[in-house]
Amino acid sequence: MINKRQFYINGQWTNPSVANDFDIIDPSTEDVVGVISLGGQADTNSAVAAAKAAFPSWSQTSKGDRLILLEKLLQVYKARQEEMAQAISLEMGAPQKLARAQQVGAGIWHLQGFINAFRDFEFDRPLGSQAPNERTVMEPIGVTALITPWNWPMNQIVLKAIPALATGCTMVLKPSEIAPLSGLLFAEMLHEAGFPAGVFNMVNGDGVGVGSQLSVHPDVDMVSFTGSSRAGIAISKAAADTLKRVSLELGGKGANIIFANADENAVTNGVGRCMRNSGQSCNAPTRMLVERSRYAEALEQAAAAANAIKVAPASEDGPHIGPVVSKLQFDKIQTLIEVGIKDDGATLVAGGLGRPEGLNRGYYVRPTIFADIGNDARINQEEIFGPVMSIMPFDTEEEAIAIANDTNYGLTNYVQCGDQEQRQRVARQLRSGMVETNSVGFGMGSPFGGYKQSGNGREGGLFGLHEFMEIKAVTCWEDA
């Protein structure tokens, strides 16, 4: 049994002010595998006070000193990456291959991307020839609260903590209480790398507890949150009284537009991309739009692709998908699959209700494909956050764009098209922060974020650094 009740505050592992145990559940088995403690107001206050006390010194450290520590952290992370893979696999059900290559790999990739961007980052910049003695100075915003989800733990922690550290901010991290082991291990890594006490603090807790306490805390200057749109709205409202900055990366309902001239593997690849991480990705392409001349073929290809996906425990190696993270998520997904069948009247092409055959324990969901359904259906408007996808036909480019944009979300859309001019024309008209075309992924340092109810702000690379900074104008600046 794993015992991780302590928090990391002011450079030390500390006991909670009041015991409040919370079980860690292995989603592959439904067994209790460990325990953490959920923090309370006193713990939140201590962590914020430590961050506030550390800010004057840390914010004035040199860029070179911070860069050395970040590079040391990257070395520590790489050295302990197998530990991280096992923590993520156990806490949220990522299969071994996915945990090592993508879950842990995302942390390395983003950390290196921030280091690359930070090396060339200029904190003091001339305004322009019209005012040669005026400087625009970029400064850290202050004490930051970082609230991260369970679905891609290291991806989101690194996307927040590293730019905050690089720019001179101090912070309190609240990782997901459902998947806390990776956050605890990350705190150990920062301690090993040698970051000064108080710069990075970590308190476990839930959203209504520590999350809400951080959102309203008068000594917190910024909240960076990744999670549901519902929670993002609540955080924005809570933070409004103190006018702190709020950066949000929220839900998605991405469309994958497949034109008749798309690659022959576009449908199969689209199903695989949707089902990755058991469908628990905000940028998953959950609505597949297929030009009508390929629609019948697409249904056959999608069914074959979904039926070929193996579902198995996270402890096993291989290219399978694992369970979803919790009973709450499992029940929500089952409810929405039932809505698709009974209320929305969709045709079930693959999958359906219940666990896959042979899996009677654990939060496993059958890879499910719906068809013959309008975009106004509930399963096409709500973020299901599981291995569930729907397919709809379209006749014209204009219709495809209209369907894709007909959602409250705007995180990532996808376009598969053999005509470069058409592909780029469609991409420009899609109302989303990201458009992936022809299965070519985004580069290191690419801005991650969305439109509408998918949030605000951008994460990654140079864009992520700017997110944690204030801009100051200074006149009569004389270079030494």
Side-chain angles (χ1 to χ4, degrees):
M1 182 73 71
I2 299 168
N3 181 349
K4 293 287 186 178
R5 290 181 171 89
Q6 292 186 312
F7 309 136
Y8 185 74
I9 299 175
N10 203 28
Q12 296 182 332
W13 290 99
T14 63
N15 294 320
S17 57
V18 177
N20 186 9
D21 285 357
F22 186 85
D23 289 338
I24 305 170
I25 307 295
D26 178 356
S28 292
T29 64
E30 303 182 43
D31 292 333
V32 176
V33 293
V35 62
I36 60 170
S37 185
L38 300 182
Q41 188 69 62
D43 305 302
T44 300
N45 290 345
S46 294
V48 173
K52 183 179 180 180
F55 179 72
S57 174
W58 178 248
S59 64
Q60 297 304 309
T61 54
S62 70
K63 173 183 171 181
D65 287 345
R66 295 199 293 259
L67 184 58
I68 289 170
L69 284 169
L70 291 174
E71 290 175 332
K72 174 63 175 175
L73 175 61
L74 179 58
Q75 294 172 8
V76 173
Y77 188 104
K78 288 180 177 179
R80 302 185 69 177
Q81 60 183 304
E82 180 60 23
E83 291 177 69
M84 183 62 76
Q86 295 310 314
I88 294 174
S89 182
L90 179 64
E91 69 187 1
M92 59 78 59
Q96 295 289 300
K97 182 178 180 180
L98 177 74
R100 292 189 180 107
Q102 296 184 39
Q103 291 279 3
V104 173
I108 295 172
W109 198 65
H110 287 306
L111 218 170
Q112 186 65 65
F114 280 122
I115 289 173
N116 294 346
F118 187 55
R119 284 197 185 104
D120 299 325
F121 192 85
E122 296 292 338
F123 285 88
D124 302 341
R125 310 170 188 183
L127 177 64
S129 58
Q130 78 278 17
N133 292 327
E134 181 173 331
R135 288 295 182 272
T136 302
V137 182
M138 308 290 289
E139 297 185 338
I141 193 169
V143 175
T144 61
L146 315 178
I147 303 174
T148 57
W150 45 261
N151 60 322
W152 288 92
M154 276 302 102
N155 185 76
Q156 291 309 130
I157 288 176
V158 168
L159 278 172
K160 299 181 190 304
I162 302 308
L165 291 166
T167 55
C169 295
T170 57
M171 66 213 67
V172 179
L173 169 68
K174 189 207 83 67
S176 169
E177 71 277 16
I178 298 173
L181 299 176
S182 51
L184 287 156
L185 183 56
F186 186 75
E188 291 181 15
M189 292 177 177
L190 268 91
H191 185 84
E192 184 177 343
F195 283 86
V199 170
F200 174 89
N201 306 275
M202 193 219 71
V203 179
N204 279 316
D206 55 20
V208 298
V210 174
S212 295
Q213 292 158 15
L214 289 170
S215 300
V216 301
H217 204 291
D219 290 333
V220 170
D221 300 291
M222 173 183 174
V223 178
S224 180
F225 170 77
T226 297
S228 69
S229 298
R230 175 194 54 77
I233 291 168
I235 286 172
S236 297
K237 290 179 178 178
D241 286 342
T242 49
L243 291 175
K244 56 174 58 72
R245 183 183 299 175
V246 178
S247 179
L248 302 171
E249 196 279 287
L250 307 175
K253 197 67 183 176
N256 186 6
I257 303 174
I258 299 178
F259 287 94
N261 58 9
D263 182 271
E264 62 181 7
N265 296 317
V267 172
T268 299
N269 291 341
V271 172
R273 179 65 182 81
C274 178
M275 304 296 174
R276 187 179 72 175
N277 203 38
S278 301
Q280 299 170 121
S281 300
C282 52
N283 60 350
T286 53
R287 296 179 298 145
M288 182 177 286
L289 315 182
V290 183
E291 194 162 357
R292 194 172 296 276
S293 61
R294 284 186 64 168
Y295 183 64
E297 176 189 48
L299 296 184
E300 295 179 1
Q301 292 173 336
N307 290 330
I309 294 172
K310 181 183 177 182
V311 185
S315 57
E316 294 183 12
D317 211 345
H320 59 279
I321 67 172
V324 296
V325 73
S326 66
K327 184 178 188 302
L328 182 67
Q329 282 298 118
F330 177 84
D331 290 345
K332 173 193 171 186
I333 295 164
Q334 294 299 311
T335 295
L336 286 169
I337 290 174
E338 187 171 21
V339 165
I341 296 170
K342 295 183 178 179
D343 299 344
D344 291 339
T347 298
L348 190 63
V349 174
L353 291 166
R355 293 177 174 84
E357 186 176 349
L359 294 169
N360 299 318
R361 185 173 171 80
Y363 307 125
Y364 301 98
V365 178
R366 299 170 66 191
T368 298
I369 307 286
F370 286 109
D372 304 327
I373 185 172
N375 193 55
D376 59 347
R378 184 177 168 187
I379 60 169
N380 278 334
Q381 291 297 318
E382 290 191 27
E383 186 179 38
I384 299 174
F385 228 60
V388 182
M389 191 186 85
S390 62
I391 308 179
M392 293 172 280
F394 68 88
D395 293 301
T396 66
E397 176 183 311
E398 294 74 18
E399 182 186 8
I401 294 168
I403 294 172
N405 287 337
D406 182 22
T407 173
N408 290 328
Y409 298 105
L411 188 58
T412 312
N413 283 306
Y414 301 75
V415 181
Q416 321 302 327
C417 179
D419 183 325
Q420 177 178 319
E421 183 178 336
Q422 184 183 35
R423 189 170 66 247
Q424 293 176 189
R425 183 173 65 243
V426 172
R428 288 185 178 276
Q429 296 178 74
L430 293 173
R431 297 284 296 164
S432 58
M434 298 168 284
V435 181
E436 180 186 297
T437 74
N438 284 1
S439 299
V440 176
F442 299 102
M444 184 178 286
S446 178
F448 190 101
Y451 293 7
K452 300 187 283 188
Q453 291 188 23
S454 288
N456 55 58
R458 293 296 181 269
E459 296 182 320
L462 180 64
F463 304 92
L465 294 173
H466 278 282
E467 204 69 20
F468 288 86
M469 306 202 77
E470 292 281 21
I471 302 172
K472 177 185 288 183
V474 182
T475 66
C476 199
W477 186 286
E478 300 290 341
D479 289 325

